[in-house]
Amino acid sequence: MSHQALIIDDEPDILELLDITLSRMGIESHRAPDLKSAKLQLKENHYDLCLTDMRLPDGNGIDLVKELQTSKPNLPVAVFTAHGNMDTAVEAMKAGAFDFITKPVDLELLRQLVKSALNASHNKTEASSDSEHLIKGESDQIRELKQKIVKLARSQAPVFISGESGSGKELVARSIHQQGPRAEKPFVAVNCGAIPSELVESEFFGYRKGSFTGAQSDKKGLFQAANGGTLFLDEIADLPLDMQVKLLRAIQEKAVRAIGDSTETKIDVRILSASHKNLPQAIEDGTFRADLYYRINVIEVLVPPLRQRGKDILLLTDFFLNQFAEETQLPKATLAPEAKTALENYDFPGNVRELENVLERAYTLCENNLITQTDLQLAPIKHNKISKIETPSNPSPPTKSTNAYDGSVSIDEYLEEIEKEILLNALEDNRWNRTSTAKALGITFRSLRYRLKKLDLDND
């Protein structure tokens, strides 16, 4: 059975062009020159896709979008807008439009839009499984979040995901991608604050061979890598102002130009973004552009902090403990009653990421597979220093990582290197006898084994 589409436009030439284009894609199209005839056809026929102009003789296409959100919520509706009229496009997507395309119509972009819309129309039954897999929790806040993700996945509207650090913003972005029509295409995530300012443009848009010193071959940018899929811009507030201008243009024009290239490349990318910062405040401070904010924040999703999720804390705890046991092939640890109470009463300023780190440390240090309140070490840490390991036999201190942290690598990589050297030196001092090494370091044999596996030092 072929797909059916309804095209609504008062220009006969546009209707003819779209009809021909869709028929070549194997799609049967019906035409309507105004809202009245369109509504009649929508009552009489089933459609997999609707394409409508914004300005019609008897009304506005946005009104139809709003009406269909109630009467036919699973019907993807794309709107045509005049070139450069992004405010109208944003208004339509806020009303529930699947996507927009500017006039004059770019047929390549139209085909990509139609394919995405048909995928969205016919993949609704698979909706919630990926969200259930990625986002753990049964609290009211998480149930509401999952329901919103299902709705957002059907649209192509840019989504801004706000929330505290460690609350799971990237998981929300991945869930939106996996439940939408782009699920089989790339999901490209980038931390905007981790890219040096002088490299941001080349990372986003790519470059051509010879465009600057060191450009010895063509390189695709993040937009090209995500073409057909989703580009997730994490910590978007950290982008330099000059790059914000170029990003805005890429979103509006649906095209990018690589450094050293004379022509633009059309791109079909859904933009999801996130930040733990207050963007309206950043706009007032002059560090974030208001026009970019309104383009990326067509729809906003707030990820609740862990302290507001009640019973999810213990549910997540069980998930992480199962994960640690599976990764290390060691027995699963359990929580003592007072440890459960301590977790439930803790604020978790670092949210889910902090819970995972707390449990990983406790899992490593606990005795007899039982995590006590002491193992959790939930007291606030006032000083960000590396604790000295006290050992009964006073083994020789490591001789390598004596330089102060200089910021050349991430702090996690730096600490891992220190831990590796401590373990290797202790193993050498004890002739690679693990029992003696664990005793010398003042840790359990289980803890030593876990650390060796974690740092890829276990060759058994």
Side-chain angles (χ1 to χ4, degrees), residues 3 47 82 88 118 161 186 217 226 252 304 306 309 311 342 410 452 454:
H3 298 299
Y47 293 107
T88 307
L118 293 178
I161 306 167
S217 61
Q252 292 184 164
L306 183 56
R309 294 172 53 182
K311 60 184 178 182
S410 73
L452 293 175
K454 174 186 172 185

PDB file of all heavy atoms in Angstrom, residues 3 47 82 88 118 161 186 217 226 252 304 306 309 311 342 410 452 454:
ATOM      1  N   HIS A   3       1.959   5.269   0.329  1.00  0.00           N
ATOM      2  CA  HIS A   3       1.663   6.336   1.281  1.00  0.00           C
ATOM      3  C   HIS A   3       0.800   7.402   0.612  1.00  0.00           C
ATOM      4  O   HIS A   3       0.835   7.590  -0.609  1.00  0.00           O
ATOM      5  CB  HIS A   3       2.960   6.959   1.781  1.00  0.00           C
ATOM      6  CG  HIS A   3       3.843   6.002   2.502  1.00  0.00           C
ATOM      7  ND1 HIS A   3       3.470   5.356   3.654  1.00  0.00           N
ATOM      8  CD2 HIS A   3       5.113   5.577   2.236  1.00  0.00           C
ATOM      9  CE1 HIS A   3       4.453   4.587   4.074  1.00  0.00           C
ATOM     10  NE2 HIS A   3       5.451   4.699   3.228  1.00  0.00           N
ATOM     11  N   TYR A  47      -4.222  10.084   5.869  1.00  0.00           N
ATOM     12  CA  TYR A  47      -2.971  10.582   5.305  1.00  0.00           C
ATOM     13  C   TYR A  47      -1.801  10.237   6.221  1.00  0.00           C
ATOM     14  O   TYR A  47      -1.943  10.180   7.450  1.00  0.00           O
ATOM     15  CB  TYR A  47      -3.032  12.104   5.105  1.00  0.00           C
ATOM     16  CG  TYR A  47      -4.031  12.519   4.047  1.00  0.00           C
ATOM     17  CD1 TYR A  47      -5.237  13.122   4.411  1.00  0.00           C
ATOM     18  CD2 TYR A  47      -3.769  12.297   2.702  1.00  0.00           C
ATOM     19  CE1 TYR A  47      -6.159  13.500   3.449  1.00  0.00           C
ATOM     20  CE2 TYR A  47      -4.694  12.670   1.732  1.00  0.00           C
ATOM     21  CZ  TYR A  47      -5.890  13.260   2.110  1.00  0.00           C
ATOM     22  OH  TYR A  47      -6.808  13.620   1.153  1.00  0.00           O
ATOM     23  N   ALA A  82       8.096  31.602   3.981  1.00  0.00           N
ATOM     24  CA  ALA A  82       8.873  32.461   3.089  1.00  0.00           C
ATOM     25  C   ALA A  82      10.332  32.430   3.500  1.00  0.00           C
ATOM     26  O   ALA A  82      10.673  32.277   4.674  1.00  0.00           O
ATOM     27  CB  ALA A  82       8.340  33.889   3.134  1.00  0.00           C
ATOM     28  N   THR A  88       8.249  32.888  11.890  1.00  0.00           N
ATOM     29  CA  THR A  88       7.033  32.147  11.569  1.00  0.00           C
ATOM     30  C   THR A  88       7.274  30.653  11.664  1.00  0.00           C
ATOM     31  O   THR A  88       6.422  29.897  12.146  1.00  0.00           O
ATOM     32  CB  THR A  88       6.553  32.503  10.147  1.00  0.00           C
ATOM     33  OG1 THR A  88       6.444  33.914  10.033  1.00  0.00           O
ATOM     34  CG2 THR A  88       5.204  31.869   9.863  1.00  0.00           C
ATOM     35  N   LEU A 118       7.532  10.277   7.110  1.00  0.00           N
ATOM     36  CA  LEU A 118       6.906   8.964   6.928  1.00  0.00           C
ATOM     37  C   LEU A 118       7.425   7.965   7.953  1.00  0.00           C
ATOM     38  O   LEU A 118       6.672   7.130   8.457  1.00  0.00           O
ATOM     39  CB  LEU A 118       7.148   8.458   5.504  1.00  0.00           C
ATOM     40  CG  LEU A 118       6.452   9.250   4.395  1.00  0.00           C
ATOM     41  CD1 LEU A 118       6.806   8.679   3.029  1.00  0.00           C
ATOM     42  CD2 LEU A 118       4.949   9.253   4.592  1.00  0.00           C
ATOM     43  N   ILE A 161      17.366  21.248  26.363  1.00  0.00           N
ATOM     44  CA  ILE A 161      17.250  20.407  27.553  1.00  0.00           C
ATOM     45  C   ILE A 161      17.989  21.098  28.694  1.00  0.00           C
ATOM     46  O   ILE A 161      19.203  21.258  28.648  1.00  0.00           O
ATOM     47  CB  ILE A 161      17.844  19.007  27.304  1.00  0.00           C
ATOM     48  CG1 ILE A 161      17.194  18.389  26.056  1.00  0.00           C
ATOM     49  CG2 ILE A 161      17.649  18.103  28.514  1.00  0.00           C
ATOM     50  CD1 ILE A 161      17.914  17.154  25.546  1.00  0.00           C
ATOM     51  N   PRO A 186      22.925   8.818  12.414  1.00  0.00           N
ATOM     52  CA  PRO A 186      23.881   9.118  13.493  1.00  0.00           C
ATOM     53  C   PRO A 186      23.311  10.000  14.597  1.00  0.00           C
ATOM     54  O   PRO A 186      22.487  10.891  14.344  1.00  0.00           O
ATOM     55  CB  PRO A 186      25.027   9.840  12.759  1.00  0.00           C
ATOM     56  CG  PRO A 186      24.868   9.484  11.322  1.00  0.00           C
ATOM     57  CD  PRO A 186      23.419   9.292  11.096  1.00  0.00           C
ATOM     58  N   SER A 217      44.262  17.100   4.476  1.00  0.00           N
ATOM     59  CA  SER A 217      43.194  16.359   3.802  1.00  0.00           C
ATOM     60  C   SER A 217      41.853  16.970   4.198  1.00  0.00           C
ATOM     61  O   SER A 217      41.766  17.706   5.180  1.00  0.00           O
ATOM     62  CB  SER A 217      43.230  14.874   4.185  1.00  0.00           C
ATOM     63  OG  SER A 217      43.038  14.718   5.577  1.00  0.00           O
ATOM     64  N   ALA A 226      26.681  14.304  11.322  1.00  0.00           N
ATOM     65  CA  ALA A 226      25.340  14.025  11.851  1.00  0.00           C
ATOM     66  C   ALA A 226      24.265  14.103  10.773  1.00  0.00           C
ATOM     67  O   ALA A 226      23.079  13.945  11.074  1.00  0.00           O
ATOM     68  CB  ALA A 226      25.007  15.020  12.969  1.00  0.00           C
ATOM     69  N   GLN A 252      19.294  28.161  10.500  1.00  0.00           N
ATOM     70  CA  GLN A 252      18.277  28.842   9.700  1.00  0.00           C
ATOM     71  C   GLN A 252      18.319  28.408   8.241  1.00  0.00           C
ATOM     72  O   GLN A 252      17.278  28.179   7.616  1.00  0.00           O
ATOM     73  CB  GLN A 252      18.453  30.355   9.799  1.00  0.00           C
ATOM     74  CG  GLN A 252      18.148  30.922  11.166  1.00  0.00           C
ATOM     75  CD  GLN A 252      18.238  32.437  11.209  1.00  0.00           C
ATOM     76  OE1 GLN A 252      17.749  33.055  12.132  1.00  0.00           O
ATOM     77  NE2 GLN A 252      18.865  33.039  10.228  1.00  0.00           N
ATOM     78  N   PRO A 304      14.530  16.752  35.891  1.00  0.00           N
ATOM     79  CA  PRO A 304      14.466  16.989  37.342  1.00  0.00           C
ATOM     80  C   PRO A 304      15.737  16.545  38.046  1.00  0.00           C
ATOM     81  O   PRO A 304      16.368  15.549  37.658  1.00  0.00           O
ATOM     82  CB  PRO A 304      13.269  16.134  37.780  1.00  0.00           C
ATOM     83  CG  PRO A 304      13.190  15.048  36.764  1.00  0.00           C
ATOM     84  CD  PRO A 304      13.613  15.678  35.472  1.00  0.00           C
ATOM     85  N   LEU A 306      17.995  14.800  41.004  1.00  0.00           N
ATOM     86  CA  LEU A 306      17.787  13.508  41.667  1.00  0.00           C
ATOM     87  C   LEU A 306      17.089  13.674  43.013  1.00  0.00           C
ATOM     88  O   LEU A 306      16.285  12.825  43.407  1.00  0.00           O
ATOM     89  CB  LEU A 306      19.131  12.797  41.846  1.00  0.00           C
ATOM     90  CG  LEU A 306      19.087  11.393  42.452  1.00  0.00           C
ATOM     91  CD1 LEU A 306      18.183  10.467  41.648  1.00  0.00           C
ATOM     92  CD2 LEU A 306      20.495  10.816  42.548  1.00  0.00           C
ATOM     93  N   ARG A 309      13.385  13.093  43.047  1.00  0.00           N
ATOM     94  CA  ARG A 309      12.878  11.883  42.400  1.00  0.00           C
ATOM     95  C   ARG A 309      12.590  10.743  43.367  1.00  0.00           C
ATOM     96  O   ARG A 309      12.300   9.624  42.936  1.00  0.00           O
ATOM     97  CB  ARG A 309      13.854  11.444  41.312  1.00  0.00           C
ATOM     98  CG  ARG A 309      13.953  12.423  40.169  1.00  0.00           C
ATOM     99  CD  ARG A 309      15.053  12.077  39.191  1.00  0.00           C
ATOM    100  NE  ARG A 309      14.959  10.714  38.714  1.00  0.00           N
ATOM    101  CZ  ARG A 309      15.836  10.166  37.885  1.00  0.00           C
ATOM    102  NH1 ARG A 309      16.859  10.881  37.440  1.00  0.00           N
ATOM    103  NH2 ARG A 309      15.691   8.910  37.497  1.00  0.00           N
ATOM    104  N   LYS A 311      11.813   7.710  45.240  1.00  0.00           N
ATOM    105  CA  LYS A 311      12.141   6.286  45.191  1.00  0.00           C
ATOM    106  C   LYS A 311      13.107   5.925  44.066  1.00  0.00           C
ATOM    107  O   LYS A 311      13.660   4.816  44.058  1.00  0.00           O
ATOM    108  CB  LYS A 311      10.868   5.463  45.032  1.00  0.00           C
ATOM    109  CG  LYS A 311      10.076   5.771  43.771  1.00  0.00           C
ATOM    110  CD  LYS A 311       8.778   4.995  43.732  1.00  0.00           C
ATOM    111  CE  LYS A 311       7.939   5.339  42.488  1.00  0.00           C
ATOM    112  NZ  LYS A 311       6.662   4.619  42.484  1.00  0.00           N
ATOM    113  N   ALA A 342      20.618   6.601  54.355  1.00  0.00           N
ATOM    114  CA  ALA A 342      21.536   7.714  54.092  1.00  0.00           C
ATOM    115  C   ALA A 342      21.413   8.197  52.649  1.00  0.00           C
ATOM    116  O   ALA A 342      21.399   9.408  52.385  1.00  0.00           O
ATOM    117  CB  ALA A 342      22.974   7.284  54.385  1.00  0.00           C
ATOM    118  N   SER A 410      42.394  15.794  31.159  1.00  0.00           N
ATOM    119  CA  SER A 410      41.290  15.948  32.105  1.00  0.00           C
ATOM    120  C   SER A 410      41.725  15.474  33.483  1.00  0.00           C
ATOM    121  O   SER A 410      42.636  14.641  33.615  1.00  0.00           O
ATOM    122  CB  SER A 410      40.067  15.150  31.636  1.00  0.00           C
ATOM    123  OG  SER A 410      40.285  13.766  31.821  1.00  0.00           O
ATOM    124  N   LEU A 452      42.255  -3.082  39.447  1.00  0.00           N
ATOM    125  CA  LEU A 452      43.063  -3.596  38.337  1.00  0.00           C
ATOM    126  C   LEU A 452      42.216  -3.783  37.086  1.00  0.00           C
ATOM    127  O   LEU A 452      42.648  -3.471  35.971  1.00  0.00           O
ATOM    128  CB  LEU A 452      43.729  -4.917  38.731  1.00  0.00           C
ATOM    129  CG  LEU A 452      44.799  -4.829  39.832  1.00  0.00           C
ATOM    130  CD1 LEU A 452      45.290  -6.221  40.209  1.00  0.00           C
ATOM    131  CD2 LEU A 452      45.972  -3.958  39.380  1.00  0.00           C
ATOM    132  N   LYS A 454      39.379  -2.188  36.410  1.00  0.00           N
ATOM    133  CA  LYS A 454      38.942  -0.868  35.975  1.00  0.00           C
ATOM    134  C   LYS A 454      40.019  -0.156  35.166  1.00  0.00           C
ATOM    135  O   LYS A 454      39.740   0.547  34.186  1.00  0.00           O
ATOM    136  CB  LYS A 454      38.571  -0.034  37.208  1.00  0.00           C
ATOM    137  CG  LYS A 454      38.220   1.417  36.913  1.00  0.00           C
ATOM    138  CD  LYS A 454      38.005   2.179  38.213  1.00  0.00           C
ATOM    139  CE  LYS A 454      37.853   3.670  37.956  1.00  0.00           C
ATOM    140  NZ  LYS A 454      37.761   4.447  39.201  1.00  0.00           N
TER     141      LYS A 454
END
